């Protein structure tokens, strides 16, 4: 049996432009679109893609933070908590 760790944060930690790109699959990463956010695997493919020029910096930082926390998933949810030490975006 596998058990995976997920960090859940508010969608407010990504900009509106990044949210639009996630919604429309305009980033070269694997994303599971949900009604109120996204599940993003924190795997080698996505981490490598996040280093490309033009990749949203805030999402890159969130993905690498999740990796540093030994999480396999980043879940951005509109009902998720914000944390004071991460930037937030009002959209």
């Amino acid at each position: 049996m596998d058990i995976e760790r997920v960090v859940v944060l508010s969608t407010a930690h990504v900009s509106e432009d990044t949210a639009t790109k996630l919604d429309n699959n305009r980033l070269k990463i694997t994303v599971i679109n949900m009604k109120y956010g996204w599940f993003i695997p924190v795997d080698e493919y996505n981490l490598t893609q996040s280093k490309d020029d033009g990749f949203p910096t805030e999402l890159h930082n969130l993905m690498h933070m999740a990796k540093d926390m030994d999480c396999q998933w980043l879940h951005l949810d509109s009902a998720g908590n914000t944390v004071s030490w991460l930037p937030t975006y009002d959209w």
Side-chain angles (χ1 to χ4, degrees):
M1 171 172 54
D2 291 327
I3 298 174
E4 296 185 337
R5 291 174 52 121
V6 178
V7 61
V8 181
L9 294 168
S10 172
T11 54
H13 288 299
V14 295
S15 69
E16 185 173 10
D17 183 57
T18 298
T20 299
K21 289 176 181 176
L22 287 166
D23 279 341
N24 296 309
N25 296 312
R26 292 196 326 227
L27 297 172
K28 294 179 181 178
I29 61 170
T30 303
V31 176
I32 300 170
N33 290 328
M34 307 296 288
K35 187 172 183 177
Y36 297 106
W38 312 274
F39 274 99
I40 302 169
V42 180
D43 58 16
E44 287 306 312
Y45 175 79
N46 278 357
L47 292 170
T48 299
Q49 294 300 316
S50 78
K51 295 176 185 174
D52 285 352
D53 288 340
F55 193 89
T57 302
E58 79 278 12
L59 184 55
H60 168 88
N61 292 340
L62 292 172
M63 291 168 60
H64 282 270
M65 180 197 71
K67 180 185 184 310
D68 291 344
M69 297 171 68
D70 293 324
C71 293
Q72 291 78 33
W73 292 90
L74 170 60
H75 180 191
L76 298 171
D77 190 289
S78 62
N81 292 324
T82 59
V83 291
S84 61
W85 43 272
L86 289 173
T88 57
Y89 302 85
D90 186 25
W91 50 276

